[in-house]
Amino acid sequence: MEITELSLRHTNRLVEDLVHARLNTVDYFDYQITNNDVYEKRMNDLKNRTFAREELSDYLLSYHRKHFPENHAVTENIERLKQPDSLVVVGGQQAGLLTGPLYTIHKIISILVLSKQQEAKLSVPVIPIFWVAGEDHDFAEINHLFVSQNQVIKKKAIKHTQSEKIPVFHKELDQKECWNWICSVFETFGETDYSNTLMESLKQTLSTSKTYTQFFEKLTYEMFSEYGLVIMNSADPDLRKMESPFFQQFIRKNEEMSEALEAQQEFMSSAGYQPIIVTEKTSANLFYHHENHERSLLHRSKDKTYSVEDKLTFTEEELRHLAEQCPERLSNNVVTRPLMQECMLPTLAFIAGPGELTYWAELKKVFQVMDLKMPPVVPRLNITILERSIETDMMDVEIGIEDVFTRGVEKAREEWVSKREPSRMSPKIEDTKKQFEQIHRELRESALTIDKSLEPFLMKNAYFIQAQLDLLNSHIDKKIQQKHRVEMEKFTRIGKSLKPNDGFQERTWNIYYYLNKYGPNFLDEIVQLRYSFNNHHKIVKI
Ligand code: ADP
């Protein structure tokens, strides 16, 4: 395996401006990630803070003992959290089926790489933590994979009938249904020497998983525990006990938080960046959890009472009492989750996807209200896996990797055909269509002087003539495609592998396709490559 880099434009303008130091960073973030000393500075700032390290470490140890087999690297990392100078690199994601799109894997690799690099540089323990967004209830986001079936990219979703409002953490998984779904996914991958072992191992893990998040966490743990990755689930009731004092602070400063969010969003809009957090001004930015595990957003009234869908009402004091006595009845939303993370963990850096980066920028003033500094928010690594067979296809049809992302595969294909078929008919037919239209227009004008009621017939007649020429064009095009069928298929394969669904590979494809094709060492080899956080797109040739 080898790694090369490409400098590509980010489609998200805020990210693009941030990584090129064009953003007036202080307006959005507390640290300038393009500064060389950003992590030293952050480390020094954190020296003035205290964290419930013992409690956190004990909690994580018991969580891991409960859910995963013992792994020395992970246990040691959790123990190291007790050291007063230890730091963490953290990032999170929803619990996608079979670990979801590749970008989840890339995010975890980013966490591992940055923590390792900074531990060596700062000479203090830097622990990689991955939190699973278990309190999310958007099942539609995690219930599927994309596969290539009968030449087309298809979404393969799993059926599930439980209430939509239940966080994924509590969504029980039907093991039989899930196993059938896995089999149908693997069928599209095709059988290899690795398929049996891989599927057996998945079957085993599935048989010990009661919920979708458990299945996700166990698979993630199997893949990354040897690198010491610590897993947290933000929906775990025991974790929420530790969050209790911070919930109480969020309630105390609730109105100021909403005002700060609104002010920052207005500021961002006026600077030309589109905010993405959608929230009402009355939102308390906290969820209330009902007995049946459904959750509802709490709303704040002018008199500082809090209500849940007109069913329940709390005074501020009652809500703080709830936060103190039964914190598992509350959870964080998009606004309070980042704050909670900052209250709980000595975060050296937060690894963010492009969407997260934007919504964190919306929180700058909210962090201020809570007297917190936002940690360095670092864009995760962008990776494209370039398979050897695809690279060979690219050489055969003379398209470079940069071309794939800038010019696009379709444009390259058109140009390739134009070069091979200089007497291509398309331009000539286009020209003929124009000439016919001109002549036909003259005919129409004359005919209309005879009888105006002819107009609909004339227009239809013109349309048929043009349509016949289009038909001729597509017929000839088909012949060209057939003549160059082998090359056309190469273009299709290249597009499918590197720009599926017209986006980056990491947004569509899943790691299991590659594990099935290249074997169990595939992931380790990718993790162990040398990465630099320079915001260039990484091309990993395999
Ligand atoms: P083939 O497998 O015969 O090459 P496909 O049309 O199924 O034809 O796929 C074309 C290419 O797209 C594959 O060679 C592979 O590089 C990529 N591809 C297909 N399916 C997947 C998948 N599920 N995950 C990742 N890459 C895929």
Side-chain angles (χ1 to χ4, degrees):
M1 271 189 201
E2 74 178 271
I3 191 166
T4 53
E5 295 191 337
L6 278 182
S7 170
L8 297 177
R9 277 181 63 82
H10 289 268
T11 43
N12 181 323
R13 204 162 61 83
L14 188 90
V15 180
E16 179 73 5
D17 289 351
L18 173 76
V19 300
H20 290 108
R22 283 199 299 259
L23 194 74
N24 193 21
T25 316
V26 288
D27 289 340
Y28 304 93
F29 300 102
D30 281 312
Y31 294 90
Q32 171 70 282
I33 56 159
T34 46
N35 281 356
N36 286 337
D37 62 350
V38 59
Y39 298 115
E40 280 90 345
K41 199 161 175 294
R42 173 66 177 173
M43 177 175 70
N44 289 331
D45 288 346
L46 284 175
K47 283 181 183 152
N48 303 320
R49 300 255 321 263
T50 50
F51 297 90
R53 290 174 179 277
E54 294 277 333
E55 210 184 333
L56 180 66
S57 175
D58 291 345
Y59 158 75
L60 285 171
L61 216 51
S62 80
Y63 185 79
H64 280 69
R65 283 210 183 108
K66 199 157 123 193
H67 294 284
F68 313 117
E70 167 84 21
N71 178 291
H72 180 66
V74 178
T75 313
E76 195 184 308
N77 266 347
I78 296 176
E79 286 292 346
R80 295 201 305 162
L81 264 175
K82 289 185 181 155
Q83 291 184 35
D85 57 351
S86 67
L87 303 167
V88 311
V89 171
V90 61
Q93 202 71 49
Q94 284 107 320
L97 273 169
L98 292 182
T99 72
L102 279 170
Y103 60 66
T104 302
I105 301 291
H106 300 168
K107 191 177 262 180
I108 296 174
I109 295 175
S110 310
I111 294 169
L112 293 173
V113 169
L114 190 64
S115 56
K116 197 166 167 204
Q117 285 177 357
Q118 291 307 319
E119 175 154 330
K121 204 161 155 220
L122 302 173
S123 304
V124 294
V126 182
I127 291 132
I129 297 189
F130 182 69
W131 57 254
V132 181
E135 78 279 52
D136 237 52
H137 64 238
D138 199 349
F139 188 60
E141 260 184 43
I142 63 150
N143 72 347
H144 61 272
L145 275 193
F146 287 97
V147 295
S148 169
Q149 203 168 19
N150 303 328
Q151 303 306 312
V152 284
I153 298 177
K154 277 196 189 147
K155 190 177 189 173
K156 243 190 200 308
I158 200 163
K159 285 183 224 105
H160 191 95
T161 47
Q162 255 171 302
S163 158
E164 270 307 303
K165 284 186 181 167
I166 290 185
V168 178
F169 183 78
H170 293 290
K171 277 213 161 86
E172 283 186 16
L173 149 162
D174 178 337
Q175 292 181 348
K176 208 164 152 212
E177 175 99 34
C178 194
W179 177 243
N180 289 339
W181 176 86
I182 290 173
C183 291
S184 70
V185 167
F186 269 72
E187 215 173 278
T188 69
F189 292 168
E191 192 171 342
T192 68
D193 288 350
Y194 307 112
S195 305
N196 260 341
T197 324
L198 192 56
M199 287 183 80
E200 269 313 307
S201 148
L202 277 173
K203 196 176 195 173
Q204 171 62 28
T205 310
L206 179 65
S207 71
T208 63
S209 306
K210 283 210 181 78
T211 60
Y212 289 98
T213 43
Q214 273 180 21
F215 189 38
F216 174 89
E217 286 174 40
K218 283 171 198 280
L219 292 181
T220 309
Y221 188 83
E222 281 166 21
M223 289 179 190
F224 298 105
S225 54
E226 66 176 291
Y227 299 100
L229 185 73
V230 177
I231 293 179
M232 271 172 98
N233 191 319
S234 46
D236 184 33
D238 290 339
L239 177 66
R240 304 240 281 291
K241 281 191 197 119
M242 289 182 56
E243 296 181 351
S244 166
F246 308 116
F247 280 138
Q248 294 174 56
Q249 286 178 25
F250 298 167
I251 296 164
R252 262 193 209 100
K253 292 204 171 174
N254 206 269
E255 198 170 356
E256 285 162 89
M257 249 164 51
S258 296
E259 284 163 3
L261 175 66
E262 193 182 24
Q264 179 69 1
Q265 287 190 319
E266 273 171 16
F267 168 75
M268 255 176 98
S269 298
S270 69
Y273 300 109
Q274 179 66 38
I276 54 175
I277 298 178
V278 182
T279 175
E280 290 166 58
K281 210 178 165 188
T282 58
S283 163
N285 294 309
L286 291 171
F287 287 104
Y288 175 82
H289 290 244
H290 302 268
E291 296 281 344
N292 64 358
H293 297 313
E294 285 194 8
R295 62 171 198 175
S296 313
L297 196 62
L298 278 157
H299 280 275
R300 188 187 56 248
S301 307
K302 280 211 172 68
D303 61 0
K304 292 203 173 173
T305 54
Y306 291 80
S307 58
V308 182
E309 291 166 357
D310 298 332
K311 285 184 200 143
L312 276 169
T313 310
F314 301 93
T315 63
E316 185 186 312
E317 208 183 323
E318 283 166 348
L319 192 63
R320 270 195 275 129
H321 188 71
L322 183 80
E324 196 187 342
Q325 298 299 318
C326 319
E328 68 284 351
R329 299 305 285 268
L330 296 177
S331 74
N332 301 297
N333 79 340
V334 60
V335 175
T336 44
R337 192 192 300 146
L339 297 171
M340 189 58 88
Q341 180 184 294
E342 185 53 23
C343 294
M344 307 265 293
L345 304 172
T347 310
L348 180 65
F350 171 66
I351 301 283
E356 284 171 304
L357 212 126
T358 307
Y359 80 68
W360 274 67
E362 290 166 49
L363 301 177
K364 164 84 199 250
K365 291 191 173 68
V366 184
F367 270 76
Q368 261 166 0
V369 162
M370 299 308 300
D371 295 321
L372 294 168
K373 258 186 163 181
M374 200 186 279
V377 181
V378 180
R380 66 164 167 77
L381 298 168
N382 293 105
I383 302 173
T384 289
I385 299 162
L386 177 55
E387 298 179 76
R388 193 171 301 255
S389 60
I390 299 296
E391 202 185 2
T392 312
D393 286 342
M394 285 165 60
M395 280 192 283
D396 291 348
V397 295
E398 296 161 11
I399 176 174
I401 185 76
E402 198 154 357
D403 262 2
V404 170
F405 296 115
T406 51
R407 198 159 46 128
V409 179
E410 195 43 39
K411 267 256 161 52
R413 189 187 69 89
E414 276 170 24
E415 284 169 26
W416 186 93
V417 173
S418 305
K419 259 200 229 157
R420 262 73 189 173
E421 299 288 345
S423 59
R424 257 174 96 218
M425 302 288 287
S426 289
K428 284 185 200 129
I429 292 175
E430 277 309 310
D431 215 37
T432 313
K433 277 172 74 179
K434 271 191 203 130
Q435 288 180 35
F436 259 110
E437 168 55 19
Q438 207 169 350
I439 296 164
H440 197 272
R441 193 182 310 131
E442 283 165 25
L443 287 178
R444 290 198 305 261
E445 278 163 12
S446 301
L448 284 173
T449 61
I450 297 166
D451 188 340
K452 280 208 165 10
S453 71
L454 281 168
E455 188 168 3
F457 176 83
L458 291 166
M459 294 315 290
K460 217 174 193 176
N461 185 257
Y463 169 79
F464 280 135
I465 293 170
Q466 295 283 322
Q468 281 299 316
L469 289 169
D470 284 338
L471 187 66
L472 175 64
N473 195 15
S474 77
H475 193 74
I476 296 168
D477 229 34
K478 240 185 231 153
K479 284 278 172 226
I480 294 177
Q481 303 271 343
Q482 277 167 10
K483 190 167 152 193
H484 301 289
R485 193 175 52 84
V486 175
E487 287 81 5
M488 294 303 103
E489 281 172 2
K490 286 181 197 282
F491 276 109
T492 308
R493 271 204 298 271
I494 296 165
K496 200 182 268 181
S497 176
L498 305 177
K499 282 290 287 293
N501 292 330
D502 209 24
F504 286 119
Q505 180 192 70
E506 58 186 14
R507 307 204 71 81
T508 293
W509 295 136
N510 170 275
I511 191 69
Y512 279 89
Y513 174 84
Y514 302 93
L515 293 176
N516 177 61
K517 200 163 170 183
Y518 300 101
N521 296 335
F522 176 81
L523 194 57
D524 285 332
E525 285 184 39
I526 292 212
V527 177
Q528 285 161 18
L529 289 166
R530 288 173 67 86
Y531 296 95
S532 147
F533 279 84
N534 56 7
N535 293 300
H536 288 172
H537 195 102
K538 314 293 185 239
I539 308 292
V540 172
K541 286 191 196 176
I542 56 171

